Amino acid sequence: MRTLNDYFLTGKMTTISTAGSYFVTAPDGGQIIKIYTSIKNAITSADAGLSFEIAGTAVTDGGITVTQSGSAAGDVDSATPSAANYVAEGQAIEMITDGASSTACECEVTFVIRRIG
C-alpha cells in the first residue's frame, strides 16, 4: 500500500538495445523504494541489463534484467533498491542500459520515491 509520502517519477529510455545513459530529475527528495520498467516491443539476441545511478553511485539492488526470451510489448520488470537510493530535490537519476540486446526497444521507467520526514 502506498502512503501519501510516495510519489511517482517516470523516465523514458529511447532504446535499451544501444548502450547509453538517460536522465530524469527528481522534483522532490526521498528514497527510491521501487523501480518498474515496461518495454514497447520484443528484444532479441540477448538480455538487456539496466542499472541506475545517483551522482555516479549505483543504486544498490536497483539493477533490472529485461529478458529477451519470450519478451513482448508490455513486459514489466522491477527492482527493490536497498541502499544508495536517496535522491535530493533537483538531482538527476541516471538510467543506464548495457545495450546487449538487439532490436530497438523503447523502455518506460517508473520510480516510486518516498519522501523522508
Side-chain angles (χ1 to χ4, degrees):
M1 181 167 159
R2 298 284 170 228
T3 72
L4 293 176
N5 287 328
D6 293 349
Y7 74 93
F8 309 92
L9 179 62
T10 327
K12 183 185 293 185
M13 301 174 85
T14 307
T15 180
I16 58 174
S17 295
T18 301
S21 292
Y22 303 86
F23 296 87
V24 64
T25 304
D28 201 359
Q31 287 184 320
I32 301 170
I33 60 169
K34 197 77 171 180
I35 304 170
Y36 294 98
T37 62
S38 177
I39 59 173
K40 201 162 193 173
N41 54 269
I43 58 172
T44 55
S45 300
D47 298 344
L50 309 180
S51 59
F52 306 91
E53 294 183 0
I54 301 167
T57 300
V59 174
T60 306
D61 297 325
I64 293 176
T65 299
V66 179
T67 307
Q68 66 91 21
S69 178
S71 66
D75 282 356
V76 174
D77 293 293
S78 65
T80 305
S82 62
N85 58 342
Y86 180 81
V87 61
E89 178 180 342
Q91 192 170 34
I93 302 169
E94 185 175 6
M95 305 175 290
I96 305 161
T97 175
D98 65 6
S101 60
S102 297
T103 309
C105 180
E106 191 174 286
C107 180
E108 293 284 337
V109 181
T110 300
F111 298 93
V112 181
I113 301 175
R114 181 162 292 159
R115 294 176 184 95
I116 307 297

